[in-house]
Amino acid sequence: MKEVMLLDFTLITALIGIAATLSGIILGWSARAKEAKNEVRKDAEIDTVIRTDMEYLKRGVDDIRIEQRAQGQRMDTMGERLSRVEESSKQAHKRIDRIEQKGE
C-alpha cells in the first residue's frame, strides 16, 4: 500500500510539474504576444508623429515658396518702376539742361 501511495504521490507531483511547465509556457507566450502588440502600437504612434511632422514641414516649405514668388514679383515690379523713374529723371535733366542753356 505504501508503494501505491508513493506511486500516486510521484504521479501527482509529476502532473503538477507538467501543469506548471505548461502554464509557464502559456503565460510566457501570451506576455510575448502582448508585448509584440504594444511594440506595433508604439511603432504606429511614432510613424504617425513623423508623418504629421513631415506634413507640417511640407506646408512650411510651400508657404516659403509662395512668399518667395511674391517677393520675386515685387522685385520685378520695383525694377520696372525704377526704370521708369530713371527715364523720367533723364528726361527732366535734359529739360533742365535746355532751360539752363537758354538762360545763358
Side-chain angles (χ1 to χ4, degrees):
M1 180 125 142
K2 279 186 175 182
E3 289 179 19
V4 172
M5 284 180 79
L6 185 60
L7 184 61
D8 287 340
F9 182 72
T10 306
L11 183 62
I12 291 172
T13 305
L15 288 176
I16 290 173
I18 290 171
T21 302
L22 289 176
S23 66
I25 290 171
I26 291 170
L27 289 173
W29 190 272
S30 66
R32 175 64 187 122
K34 185 178 179 180
E35 182 64 30
K37 206 183 271 188
N38 286 338
E39 284 180 24
V40 168
R41 185 178 297 124
K42 286 179 185 177
D43 287 347
E45 288 174 4
I46 290 170
D47 188 46
T48 301
V49 169
I50 289 172
R51 286 177 188 252
T52 303
D53 289 345
M54 288 292 288
E55 287 300 317
Y56 176 75
L57 289 172
K58 284 180 185 178
R59 277 186 259 123
V61 168
D62 289 343
D63 291 345
I64 290 170
R65 285 183 182 158
I66 290 169
E67 181 60 33
Q68 189 176 20
R69 278 190 205 117
Q71 185 69 22
Q73 289 173 348
R74 285 191 293 267
M75 291 297 288
D76 290 345
T77 303
M78 197 72 111
E80 290 172 11
R81 290 180 64 196
L82 179 61
S83 294
R84 284 190 221 126
V85 168
E86 287 174 341
E87 280 285 322
S88 178
S89 174
K90 188 176 178 183
Q91 292 299 323
H93 281 290
K94 286 180 181 178
R95 286 192 299 268
I96 291 170
D97 288 343
R98 275 188 261 150
I99 291 171
E100 285 180 349
Q101 285 177 356
K102 284 182 183 179
E104 289 178 3

